[in-house]
Amino acid sequence: MTFAPTYFSLGIGASLTTIGDASPASALAVDRFPKGDMYSYERSFTVSEEAAESLRGGTAVVVVHGIDYNGNGKYDNVLGPSQLDPKLPLEATAPALCGTLNETPQGSVHGGLGGTQIGGVNTAAAGGAGALVLAAGGTYLLRRRASRDS
């Protein structure tokens, strides 16, 4: 797993290793990265000013490498050597997923009246407003029909 702010133009900003060096120099230290189907990662380390700016600017991404293609529980040479480092198997360095890093909002998140929020609109409130409009429209139509029949 590597942290790569704007991966192609700036390069690797930090390596999210579990122990030891976390600098870009550890980008291929596959023996020190979290492994498995599920894991959590928590570690503190200092990043370069360039990486910090990428984090602050919302352009930082995380790229996770490593796919056990043959499901045998280890990175072996089933696909041949890695293009990043021929001493490593391709399974260890194959990109598995990536995504941008976004700051978590501070404080609680307003969820409205228990409905789902879509595009800033509370669907429970929107549904209630829609029901009121339909009820008003139905009342209008019934009154109009009653006045015509009189």
Side-chain angles (χ1 to χ4, degrees), residues 10 27 64 74 79 89 99-100 109 113:
L10 294 178
V64 177
K74 60 184 177 181
L79 300 175
T100 58
V109 177
L113 301 172

Side-chain angles (χ1 to χ4, degrees), residues 78-124:
V78 69
L79 300 175
S82 169
Q83 296 170 348
L84 300 175
D85 182 347
K87 292 179 262 172
L88 295 172
L90 179 58
E91 279 189 324
T93 63
L97 60 96
C98 67
T100 58
L101 290 172
N102 296 308
E103 186 176 350
T104 302
Q106 297 298 313
S108 62
V109 177
H110 178 64
L113 301 172
T116 304
Q117 300 246 343
I118 299 175
V121 176
N122 183 302
T123 54

Side-chain angles (χ1 to χ4, degrees), residues 29-122:
V30 297
D31 58 324
R32 294 188 287 122
F33 288 112
K35 293 176 181 63
D37 294 336
M38 294 179 59
Y39 54 83
S40 62
Y41 183 87
E42 185 175 331
R43 185 172 181 204
S44 297
F45 52 86
T46 303
V47 296
S48 69
E49 184 55 40
E50 187 176 47
E53 185 58 37
S54 183
L55 286 164
R56 285 190 292 271
T59 60
V61 299
V62 170
V63 180
V64 177
H65 294 267
I67 302 172
D68 181 12
Y69 281 97
N70 59 357
N72 67 355
K74 60 184 177 181
Y75 297 142
D76 55 20
N77 225 13
V78 69
L79 300 175
S82 169
Q83 296 170 348
L84 300 175
D85 182 347
K87 292 179 262 172
L88 295 172
L90 179 58
E91 279 189 324
T93 63
L97 60 96
C98 67
T100 58
L101 290 172
N102 296 308
E103 186 176 350
T104 302
Q106 297 298 313
S108 62
V109 177
H110 178 64
L113 301 172
T116 304
Q117 300 246 343
I118 299 175
V121 176
N122 183 302

